[in-house]
Structure formats: structure tokens, C-alpha cells
């Protein structure tokens, strides 16, 4: 029997629809109760002002629609044993999802104090939007959630990321019409062009239009159905419209539409898995129009509520103070007939409880929504196999990221059977020198492929699309459902999705407090094409701000690594790919650069997080006059070159060179898990000597992390000061005051005991900067002594 025939035969009869409607009533009742009630949870006595919470918080408008979809998905899952998860895009549908995972029993299993009885409902209500309770959006503590609804725009990208390489998974992605106005969501419809029915699961987008956002109409809410269908059809969707306000009519129509959509999804998958991938499949989507605040009060104080923006949040306010409003609320809640939904003990009556799926098929209990349960460790190759031979520091140039590309090539190969690793990059894989992955993998596209295309195939796992939102959203969905990956992009444009990084870090931070949330693979972000090396690009491509963004996150979930060379990058990358529950930010340029450490030294250096480079220093212990510190590849180059210049011209100045690879190491140990105690800090930076610190990002970041250290005011930080243009590599550091000559001047200025010797040398440095300015405008490249500089023995 075909799937389509099965679907038609299982359409619900009138008795089934009545049960579905009652179950939906139960979800709606629990939703309203969470918003309003602190006592009398099942209205076993007349509603009084003392039963009402003192602060009415929450959002009713979207909630009945979300529950409507959830209830119908329960029926479909029950009917076909579907492996499905539910992603709620509308911003504040939390009470609806909490109501549904409570009704299906998942919530009580995870939070046993929220029992399946009157007292449990009482606690469910009291915890909502109250101190120590749960927020009004679908969030980390919500069972079944992989999608934080507090910030709009990501539901589709998360849903598609979830089903990549999960062939049996169906992701229901409810898109609110407010969310549909955001740029990330608008761009995410094209995700369908990267979905391969042979090896991926399916996403069923449900565009839920109730017409309004907080105080006005939505764009799509006012659009004609034909226009929306045409728009979505251009992306490859076959759009089914379900529209109305009569509940029983809508139950019938939506149930039949879900059946049709599911049958289409399975038919597309069966065809592809039986006969191979072919282009042109039309995937279903649903356009669901229901009133805002459906089944809520029609009118309050003479103003229309249901079907208007006034239903968005709390449709009946001032309930404790206004007796008329209290009556409206009681009539509204009793309209759902809680006495027929819950028995004397407060349990959902048996005929309704039987409608929910069981075990892992409940959407709140599906293990894909707790991806750490499914996580399989990557089979990682020994990273030392990709090491560069560095017999002497700072004498050879190599593209550091290319070595990581070779490592990722073999990660793809070693995990080909498991199919649990992908690279996400906005059309920059080759540009970022990661192109060795194409020896074994292809770019993914299910669109048309022509003969001149380069490594493009429907089964590729290198995900290239010119949207940072989409790349990062896909990866987040992929990680949250138990897989691994890397997001590589240009440094400046990582700021396009910086808010996503913050939200993911918050997700991890809260998840760490929930024992039932299994650890997931870390979000690994590799930034190249950095602010210091842009060549033909200009100021638009110069911005290291993601460092500051990640620095603002909790130390329990945030890490920032600035490896100075290839071997350090390999060591850091191996560590990050093995880690769990972190946002790991790795920043290193893609251009040929000097290599500093052999692999053994690099491993030790990265394990410590920072090192004093004795080979570049000439000041030991108490002899040190000044510490030249650096974090980042270009700052390392300029710092070591400055130390070399000072040795040649002012050997009396005792310099210590300290390189930092783990920025969080600079924090005091009581503020960050990677932080150093003061004793270790002093071992490297001394207790009272001036520190001239060349930093990859904005200087304020270093001042922040060393705050509270002994004599923190002695840190003089040079970094990116938002000065840039299309220019030479060295001119970028000159423009920002971080060149080797600026560092030399700063060091000489800070060491008072040698002031008698330094004026002519400071003048010499300034003359070199003047000469540089004239030379690059005449020759369009840097001075040979800068461009070709390497460490030489005479500096020892």
C-alpha cells in the first residue's frame, strides 16, 4: 500500500476531530493559566482577584496557533510513527509549548516536581515568567527545543541544519509572520536548494499568519495568498493554504493538509532513495491563516481583541483591580471546559492522554532535540601529521590555514561512514586556503550543475552560501542535533551573525545548568581574511569585533584562540573539535606568514595558553626592562620584529617577549576557568615592568581582561583602532599604530633608565615610518626590509 493511500485512509472522522479539539482546549487552557493564575489552577472555585498573579506577563496571540499545530502533529506522529521535532519560530510562544510538553508527559519526567495532577498544574502556572521560573519564549529549559525563540529569524536555518544527514527526521518549523519580516528568515527559504532527499531528512515549513505583530499589521499577513504562494514556489515549495476561524472546520482542513504534506514528503524521499537523486522535486509548505489570539476574548472595553494586534500579549489586563475584566477572564477560561479535560486529581482524562505519542516519539522527548544523546565523537586524524617543519623560528613563510584544510580533508574521509561532519563557509573555502577538502568532498547544491562548475554535487558536505546567518544557523541546528562542524568566514563579516553567536553562547550557558541536557559539540568559528591583511579590499573588510562579542560571554562557554602559526592552529583546532559546550573562536590569517614554533613547542605553548619566548628575549628574570607581549599572528610578527630591531640598536634594553594564544588565559583565575593566578601572571609579565601589548583586536579587550592584575595601568595596548583603507599589509599596522617601529618607540618611552640613549633611536623609527609612507605610494608595495624580514642570528 502506498504512503499516499495510507494517508487518505487515516483522515480523522468526526469523533477524532472532537478529541483533537478537546486536547487543543486543554493546551489553550494551560497556556492562559500560566499567564494569569497563581492559585485555583483548575477553577474548582469561582475566580477571585487573589488567584491572579500580581504581574501579568506572556504572549497569548501566537499561542493557540502553535498549540493547534502541535496537537495535529501528535496525531500524525501517532498514526505513522514519525520521528519529528518541533521548532517554534514566533518569539513568545513559550506557554503553548510548555503546555504541550506537559500534556504529553515529557515535562513531568524531566521536572518531577511538576506532577501530573492539580498541584503540578499549580506549580506549572506559578513558575511561568516569575523569579526563578521559566521565560515566556521557547527556551533551553523547554523539553524538545533546539531553537531559542527569544530572537527572531533563525527557525528555518536551525530546522534545515537539524535534518541534514538525519534521513528519518522531520522538522516542523513554524514561522511567525513577524519573524517572516526578518532578513535571516527571508534568506533561509533557499535552504531547500541544499536538501538532498537521499541522505537528509525533511523540513515542513508552516508559515503561520495571524496578521499582526505587537502593534501593527505584518507584511505577509496583509499579502494575498497568491503572492505568497508565488514567492515560496520560486524557492521550490508546493504551498497548501489552510485558512479560517471556525475550529472544527479548521481541524478537518489542517488534518487533511498535514496528511497530504507528509505523504508528499515520504514520496519524494522514497523516489530518491529508490531511484537516485533527481532535481525538480516540489517540497510541501503550509500557509496557515488563523486569527491573532484565536478563541480568546472577542472584545474588551468596547475594543476588538481576537484577530487584532491587541491579542498579542495579555489580552485582558488589570484583572485584579477590574471586576469586569476578572469576569471576562473567568468566562474565557471556562469556555474551554476544564472540568471535562482534567479529572478529579487534575490529570488529563484518559481519552485525551491517549492522543499523545509515547516514549521518544513525543516531540518533547525526541532525542534529536537533546542532541548530545546522539553525539558520536569525531574520528580525528593525528593533527601532528600536518605539521610544518620549523627548524628555526621566523625564517619560512607558509599559509597556515592550508594545513588545517588538509586536516579537515581527512576528517571528512575518516567520518564518511558516520556522516556527522560538515564545513559551513560563505563561498570562501578556497579563498580561506581550505580547498584541500575538495579532494574528497564537494560543495552541496541540489540545483542545476553545469560542466564548468567546480566540485559541486547534490551529496556534497561543504555548505557554501553567501549568508553568514544561514551558514551559522545551519551549523547550530547541526550541532544541537548531535553532529560536528566548522563555520569559516571572513573576520569582518562574522559580525553579520554576531548576535547568533551570543544567543548560542547563552543557550550553552543555560544548558550547562540542566543535568538532562547532554553536552553537544562546540560551535567552532574560524575567522580568516583578517583586519590586518586585506590587499585589494578596504575599510569595509576590516573589523575584529567578534572577539569583543565572544569576550562578553560567560567564561564557562566562551573561548578565544589567536594561534600565531600553522602548528599552533592545528593544535588549537584539534582541541576545539574535541571540546563540548563551548563557542570556540579561532582567528588567524590565510596569507603566507612566518612560522614560529615546531610542533612540539606549539603543543606545549597552546596547552599553557601563553609562553615567554626565550629565543626572542634578551631580558631574563629581574633583568627585564620591558615586556613585549602579543596575541594574534600579525601582532606576533610586529612584536618579534620590534624585539629584533631593539637588540640591534639598543642591546642595553632588556626585552622579554610573551606570546598569548588563549586570550582567556589573561583573566584572573577567579573570573575564568582558563585564567591564571597572579603568581603565574607575574612569572610572564613581571610585577612592575611596563608591558607593551600588540593585540589582534580592539585594545580595550586586553585592558578588560587584565583589570585587577598587579599594576594593571602598566599595560600599554596597541591594536586595531578602526583605521583602514586599501593599502599594503605593513601600512595597516602603521595606520593603527601597531607597527614594529611604533612598538619600539613605545618600549623606549616606557623605560626611564635608558632615556639618555633613546631620543635618536625614536627619531630613527619615525624616519623609517616617514620613508615607508613615501615608498608605498611610489612602489605600491612595502619596503624590502619590512616585506622580506626574517629572524637572523645577528639579533641573538
Amino acid at each position: 500500500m502506498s504512503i499516499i493511500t495510507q494517508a487518505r485512509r487515516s483522515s480523522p472522522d468526526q469523533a477524532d476531530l472532537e478529541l483533537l479539539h478537546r486536547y487543543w482546549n486543554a493546551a489553550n487552557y494551560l497556556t492562559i493559566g500560566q499567564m494569569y493564575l497563581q492559585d485555583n489552577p483548575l477553577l474548582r472555585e469561582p475566580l477571585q482577584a487573589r488567584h491572579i498573579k500580581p504581574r501579568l506577563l506572556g504572549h497569548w496571540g501566537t499561542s493557540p496557533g502553535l498549540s493547534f499545530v502541535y496537537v495535529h502533529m501528535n496525531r500524525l506522529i501517532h498514526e505513522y510513527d514519525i520521528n519529528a521535532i518541533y521548532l517554534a519560530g514566533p518569539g513568545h510562544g513559550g506557554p503553548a509549548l510548555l503546555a504541550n510538553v506537559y500534556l504529553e508527559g515529557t515535562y513531568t519526567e524531566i521536572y518531577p516536581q511538576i506532577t501530573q495532577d492539580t498541584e503540578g498544574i499549580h506549580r506549572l502556572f506559578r513558575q511561568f515568567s516569575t523569579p526563578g521560573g521559566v521565560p515566556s519564549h521557547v527556551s533551553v529549559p523547554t523539553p524538545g527545543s533546539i531553537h531559542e525563540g527569544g530572537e527572531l529569524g533563525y527557525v528555518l536555518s536551525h530546522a534545515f541544519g537539524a535534518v541534514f544527514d538525519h534521513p528519518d527526521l522531520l522538522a516542523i518549523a513554524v514561522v511567525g509572520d513577524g519573524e517572516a519580516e526578518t532578513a535571516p528568515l527571508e534568506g533561509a527559504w533557499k535552504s531547500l536548494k541544499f536538501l538532498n532527499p537521499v541522505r537528509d531528512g525533511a523540513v515542513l515549513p508552516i508559515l503561520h499568519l495571524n496578521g499582526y505583530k505587537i502593534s501593527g499589521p505584518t507584511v505577509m499577513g496583509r499579502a494575498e495568498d497568491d503572492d505568497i504562494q508565488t514567492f515560496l514556489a520560486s524557492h521550490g515549495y508546493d504551498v497548501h493554504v489552510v485558512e479560517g476561524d471556525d475550529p472544527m472546520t479548521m481541524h478537518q482542513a489542517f488534518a487533511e493538509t498535514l496528511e497530504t504534506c507528509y505523504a508528499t514528503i515520504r514520496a519524494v524521499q522514497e523516489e530518491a532513495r529508490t531511484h537516485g537523486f533527481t532535481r525538480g522535486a516540489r517540497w510541501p509548505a503550509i500557509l496557515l491563516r488563523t486569527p491573532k489570539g484565536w478563541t480568546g476574548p472577542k472584545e474588551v472595553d468596547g475594543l476588538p481583541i481576537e484577530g487584532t494586534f491587541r491579542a498579542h500579549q495579555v489580552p485582558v489586563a488589570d484583572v485584579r483591580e477590574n471586576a469586569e475584566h476578572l469576569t471576562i477572564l473567568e468566562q474565557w477560561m471556562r469556555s474551554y471546559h476544564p472540568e471535562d479535560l482534567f479529572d478529579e486529581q487534575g490529570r488529563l482524562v484518559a481519552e485525551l492522554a491517549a492522543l499523545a505519542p509515547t516514549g521518544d516519539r513525543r516531540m518533547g522527548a525526541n532525542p534529536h532535540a537533546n542532541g548530545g544523546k546522539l553525539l558520536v565523537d569525531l574520528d580525528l586524524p593525528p593533527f601532528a601529521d600536518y605539521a610544518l617543519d620549523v627548524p628555526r623560528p621566523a625564517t619560512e613563510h607558509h599559509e597556515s590555514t592550508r594545513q588545517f584544510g588538509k586536516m579537515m580533508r581527512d576528517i571528512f574521509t575518516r567520518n564518511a561512514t558516520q556522516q556527522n561532519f560538515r564545513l559551513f563557509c560563505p563561498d570562501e573555502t578556497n579563498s580561506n586556503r581550505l580547498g584541500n577538502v575538495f579532494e574528497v568532498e564537494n560543495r552541496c547544491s541540489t540545483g542545476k550543475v553545469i560542466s564548468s562548475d567546480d566540485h559541486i554535487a547534490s551529496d556534497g558536505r561543504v555548505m557554501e552560501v553567501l549568508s553568514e546567518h544561514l551558514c551559522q544557523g545551519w551549523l547550530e541546528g547541526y550541532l544541537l542535533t548531535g553532529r560536528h562542524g566548522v563555520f569559516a568566514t571572513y573576520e569582518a563579516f562574522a559580525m553579520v551573525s554576531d548576535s547568533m553567536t551570543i544567543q548560542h553562547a547563552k543557550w550553552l550557558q543555560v544548558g550547562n545548568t540542566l543535568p538532562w541536557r547532554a553536552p553537544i559539540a562546540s560551535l567552532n568559528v574560524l575567522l580568516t581574511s583578517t583586519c590586518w591583511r586585506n590587499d585589494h579590499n578596504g575599510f569595509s573588510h576590516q573589523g575584529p569585533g567578534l572577539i569583543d562579542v565572544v569576550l562578553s560571554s560567560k567564561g564557562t562557554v566562551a573561548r578565544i584562540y589567536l594561534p600565531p602559526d600553522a602548528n599552533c592552529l592545528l593544535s588549537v583546532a584539534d582541541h576545539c573539535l574535541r571540546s563540548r559546550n563551548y563557542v570556540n573562536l579561532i582567528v588567524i590569517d590565510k596569507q603566507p606568514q612566518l612560522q614560529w614554533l615546531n610542533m612540539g613547542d606549539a603543543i606545549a605553548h597552546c596547552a599553557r595558553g601563553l609562553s615567554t619566548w626565550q629565543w626572542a628575549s634578551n631580558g631574563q628574570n629581574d633583568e627585564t626592562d620591558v615586556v613585549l607581549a602579543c596575541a594574534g599572528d600579525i601582532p606576533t610578527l610586529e612584536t618579534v620584529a620590534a624585539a629584533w630591531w631593539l637588540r640591534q640598536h639598543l642591546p642595553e634594553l632588556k626585552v622579554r617577549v610573551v606570546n598569548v594564544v588563549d586570550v582567556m588565559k589573561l583573566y584572573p583565575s577567579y573570573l575564568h576557568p582558563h585564567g591564571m593566578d597572579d603568581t603565574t601572571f607575574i612569572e610572564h609579565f613581571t610585577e612592575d615592568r611596563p608591558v607593551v601589548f600588540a593585540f589582534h583586536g580592539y585594545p580595550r579587550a586586553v585592558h578588560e581582561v587584565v583589570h585587577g592584575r598587579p599594576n594593571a595601568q602598566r599595560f600599554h595596548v596597541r591594536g586595531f583602532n578602526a583605521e583602514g583603507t586599501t593599502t599594503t599589509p605593513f601600512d595597516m599596522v602603521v595606520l593603527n599604530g601597531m607597527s614594529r617601529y611604533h612598538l619600539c618607540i613605545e618600549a623606549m618611552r616606557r623605560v626611564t633608565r635608558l632615556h639618555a640613549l633613546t631620543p635618536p633611536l625614536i627619531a630613527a623609527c619615525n624616519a623609517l615610518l616617514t620613508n615607508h609612507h613615501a615608498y608605498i605610494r611610489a612602489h605600491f608595495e612595502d619596503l624590502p626590509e619590512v616585506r622580506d624580514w626574517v629572524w637572523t642570528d645577528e639579533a641573538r
Side-chain angles (χ1 to χ4, degrees):
M1 183 183 295
S2 74
I3 290 172
I4 294 177
T5 304
Q6 288 179 8
R8 288 173 177 164
R9 289 188 177 182
S10 67
S11 296
D13 58 22
Q14 188 61 34
D16 293 332
L17 294 177
E18 293 284 353
L19 287 173
L20 281 173
H21 183 65
R22 290 175 61 201
Y23 195 106
W24 183 47
N25 282 344
N28 287 335
Y29 179 86
L30 294 180
T31 297
I32 303 161
Q34 291 176 75
M35 293 169 58
Y36 282 95
L37 299 186
Q38 63 178 353
D39 284 310
N40 192 17
L42 290 176
L43 299 185
R44 298 287 165 81
E45 59 178 290
L47 190 62
Q48 299 180 40
R50 61 185 173 84
H51 299 146
I52 307 300
K53 291 179 178 180
R55 300 171 67 233
L56 299 182
L57 303 168
H59 289 64
W60 166 246
T62 190
S63 292
L66 289 173
S67 290
F68 184 79
V69 173
Y70 203 103
V71 170
H72 279 267
M73 275 305 303
N74 280 346
R75 190 195 73 81
L76 202 68
I77 293 167
H78 205 288
E79 188 74 25
Y80 295 114
D81 190 33
I82 301 171
N83 183 15
I85 59 175
Y86 187 108
L87 291 85
H92 287 271
L97 270 294
L98 290 169
N100 281 283
V101 294
Y102 174 79
L103 290 173
E104 71 186 19
T106 305
Y107 204 78
T108 300
E109 291 175 11
I110 292 175
Y111 303 106
Q113 70 276 18
I114 311 296
T115 48
Q116 293 281 306
D117 54 21
T118 303
E119 182 56 33
I121 295 175
H122 185 221
R123 291 175 180 147
L124 179 75
F125 288 0
R126 288 181 63 86
Q127 73 174 6
F128 179 77
S129 288
T130 55
V134 298
S136 67
H137 46 88
V138 182
S139 56
V140 195
T142 308
S145 172
I146 66 163
H147 174 74
E148 170 62 76
E151 182 171 300
L152 299 179
Y154 314 129
V155 67
L156 278 181
S157 58
H158 285 162
F160 277 92
V163 304
F164 290 151
D165 294 319
H166 274 153
D168 298 323
L169 184 63
L170 173 63
I172 303 300
V174 182
V175 181
D177 46 359
E179 179 176 37
E181 296 180 359
T182 66
L185 194 286
E186 184 85 4
W189 292 109
K190 67 175 67 69
S191 298
L192 198 60
K193 302 299 185 183
F194 299 83
L195 189 76
N196 185 329
V198 175
R199 52 89 185 273
D200 299 329
V203 174
L204 178 59
I206 300 176
L207 179 57
H208 179 215
L209 303 183
N210 55 40
Y212 295 91
K213 38 190 184 275
I214 193 168
S215 59
T218 59
V219 173
M220 282 196 168
R222 292 289 170 89
E224 297 295 330
D225 289 352
D226 288 348
D227 292 338
I228 297 173
Q229 287 179 291
T230 299
F231 168 73
L232 295 181
S234 70
H235 286 289
Y237 296 96
D238 179 23
V239 184
H240 302 257
V241 180
V242 181
E243 180 176 0
D245 59 4
D246 176 69
M248 297 310 297
T249 302
M250 289 292 285
H251 282 306
Q252 181 71 55
F254 194 71
E256 292 178 356
T257 300
L258 268 184
E259 295 275 358
T260 299
C261 291
Y262 180 64
T264 300
I265 288 168
R266 294 296 292 131
V268 169
Q269 292 174 334
E270 282 191 1
E271 172 66 23
R273 294 169 190 179
T274 302
H275 301 106
F277 173 79
T278 56
R279 293 168 185 83
R282 306 292 291 181
W283 292 88
I286 298 175
L287 169 54
L288 174 64
R289 286 191 189 268
T290 65
K292 188 90 165 180
W294 195 13
T295 73
K298 299 292 188 290
E299 183 178 291
V300 176
D301 296 337
L303 295 172
I305 302 298
E306 185 191 53
T308 77
F309 66 88
R310 296 182 185 92
H312 182 78
Q313 293 177 308
V314 179
V316 189
D318 305 320
V319 180
R320 297 181 83 173
E321 297 79 17
N322 188 316
E324 183 180 347
H325 287 194
L326 183 65
T327 299
I328 292 173
L329 174 62
E330 183 170 16
Q331 291 173 347
W332 175 23
M333 296 192 73
R334 290 193 185 279
S335 73
Y336 299 106
H337 303 288
E339 68 278 4
D340 295 333
L341 307 175
F342 302 94
D343 64 19
E344 286 299 315
Q345 288 73 41
R347 296 187 297 257
L348 187 67
V349 295
E351 65 266 28
L352 298 184
L355 299 182
T358 59
D360 287 352
R361 284 298 187 250
R362 295 170 296 175
M363 288 188 287
N366 191 299
H368 292 85
N370 190 1
K373 286 185 172 183
L374 305 176
L375 186 65
V376 176
D377 290 345
L378 280 178
D379 180 3
L380 291 172
F383 66 90
D385 289 355
Y386 310 93
L388 291 175
D389 184 25
V390 184
R392 294 173 55 220
T395 56
E396 295 182 7
H397 290 82
H398 295 279
E399 296 168 331
S400 296
T401 54
R402 191 169 299 280
Q403 301 308 114
F404 183 43
K406 295 175 183 177
M407 180 178 170
M408 278 200 289
R409 171 198 63 198
D410 295 344
I411 292 173
F412 275 117
T413 299
R414 294 168 74 108
N415 296 275
T417 301
Q418 193 63 39
Q419 298 182 354
N420 61 345
F421 178 80
R422 290 199 185 200
L423 170 63
F424 302 80
C425 186
D427 191 33
E428 297 152 358
T429 304
N430 279 330
S431 173
N432 289 329
R433 312 301 194 263
L434 304 174
N436 286 95
V437 296
F438 294 126
E439 296 173 22
V440 298
E441 264 300 345
N442 293 303
R443 298 175 176 88
C444 177
S445 174
T446 58
K448 182 179 180 180
V449 178
I450 62 177
S451 59
S452 59
D453 287 336
D454 179 35
H455 290 96
I456 296 177
S458 61
D459 60 353
R461 285 194 172 81
V462 177
M463 312 299 291
E464 288 192 342
V465 62
L466 271 172
S467 167
E468 287 78 11
H469 285 125
L470 202 46
C471 285
Q472 183 162 337
W474 284 344
L475 175 56
E476 288 175 354
Y478 201 66
L479 299 175
L480 286 161
T481 50
R483 281 75 62 76
H484 308 258
V486 171
F487 171 39
T489 187
Y490 287 3
E491 181 181 50
F493 305 128
M495 296 299 288
V496 171
S497 57
D498 65 339
S499 187
M500 297 183 77
T501 306
I502 294 173
Q503 294 294 345
H504 191 79
K506 288 180 177 179
W507 176 281
L508 296 175
Q509 180 181 334
V510 176
N512 282 338
T513 69
L514 302 172
W516 60 272
R517 284 269 180 200
I520 61 171
S522 297
L523 175 65
N524 299 310
V525 181
L526 173 67
L527 303 186
T528 69
S529 298
T530 67
C531 62
W532 302 108
R533 287 297 305 269
N534 281 282
D535 298 321
H536 61 284
N537 296 314
F539 200 28
S540 63
H541 284 57
Q542 296 160 350
L546 197 64
I547 290 175
D548 297 67
V549 170
V550 176
L551 204 61
S552 69
S553 297
K554 273 283 188 180
T556 51
V557 296
R559 300 288 185 267
I560 301 171
Y561 298 101
L562 301 177
D565 65 3
N567 290 339
C568 290
L569 170 61
L570 293 168
S571 179
V572 164
D574 178 82
H575 170 77
C576 291
L577 289 168
R578 295 179 188 277
S579 69
R580 301 288 181 266
N581 279 10
Y582 292 129
V583 172
N584 293 316
L585 177 62
I586 307 171
V587 187
I588 186 170
D589 197 54
K590 65 186 182 182
Q591 301 290 352
Q593 54 189 195
L594 284 171
Q595 303 297 309
W596 309 98
L597 303 177
N598 62 46
M599 182 52 82
D601 290 340
I603 292 172
H605 179 49
C606 294
R608 288 189 297 267
L610 82 168
S611 300
T612 297
W613 283 2
Q614 302 293 351
W615 59 269
S617 308
N618 68 344
Q620 308 300 323
N621 302 323
D622 293 338
E623 293 181 349
T624 300
D625 289 311
V626 63
V627 177
L628 294 184
C630 49
D633 48 5
I634 300 303
T636 298
L637 167 63
E638 295 306 310
T639 296
V640 176
W644 179 89
W645 193 94
L646 288 169
R647 275 201 192 187
Q648 286 194 322
H649 298 89
L650 189 61
E652 298 87 349
L653 182 67
K654 302 304 180 184
V655 173
R656 178 184 301 183
V657 175
V658 177
N659 183 262
V660 178
V661 65
D662 179 354
V663 174
M664 304 305 203
K665 198 73 177 177
L666 297 172
Y667 270 119
S669 55
Y670 60 85
L671 290 179
H672 195 283
H674 279 198
M676 289 180 287
D677 57 36
D678 276 350
T679 300
T680 306
F681 188 85
I682 290 169
E683 286 177 4
H684 292 284
F685 294 103
T686 77
E687 188 169 15
D688 55 4
R689 300 297 191 271
V691 179
V692 178
F693 203 124
F695 183 61
H696 178 89
Y698 295 102
R700 61 179 176 264
V702 175
H703 289 296
E704 175 186 339
V705 297
V706 302
H707 179 74
R709 291 296 191 181
N711 302 306
Q713 70 280 2
R714 65 199 169 93
F715 278 73
H716 310 284
V717 186
R718 298 299 183 101
F720 186 74
N721 287 319
E723 294 290 343
T725 184
T726 303
T727 190
T728 66
F730 186 65
D731 197 46
M732 271 300 297
V733 294
V734 171
L735 288 172
N736 286 276
M738 199 191 71
S739 76
R740 60 200 67 182
Y741 303 125
H742 287 95
L743 299 178
C744 287
I745 292 170
E746 189 71 21
M748 290 186 285
R749 287 181 58 240
R750 298 294 172 181
V751 180
T752 56
R753 78 174 184 88
L754 297 174
H755 273 183
L757 301 176
T758 57
L761 295 174
I762 291 174
C765 287
N766 283 321
L768 288 167
L769 291 170
T770 300
N771 187 29
H772 150 79
H773 182 81
Y775 187 90
I776 62 170
R777 280 154 180 79
H779 299 279
F780 308 143
E781 62 178 348
D782 286 322
L783 287 158
E785 58 264 37
V786 171
R787 186 179 68 244
D788 302 329
W789 179 85
V790 295
W791 185 272
T792 55
D793 290 336
E794 58 264 28
R796 294 178 182 271

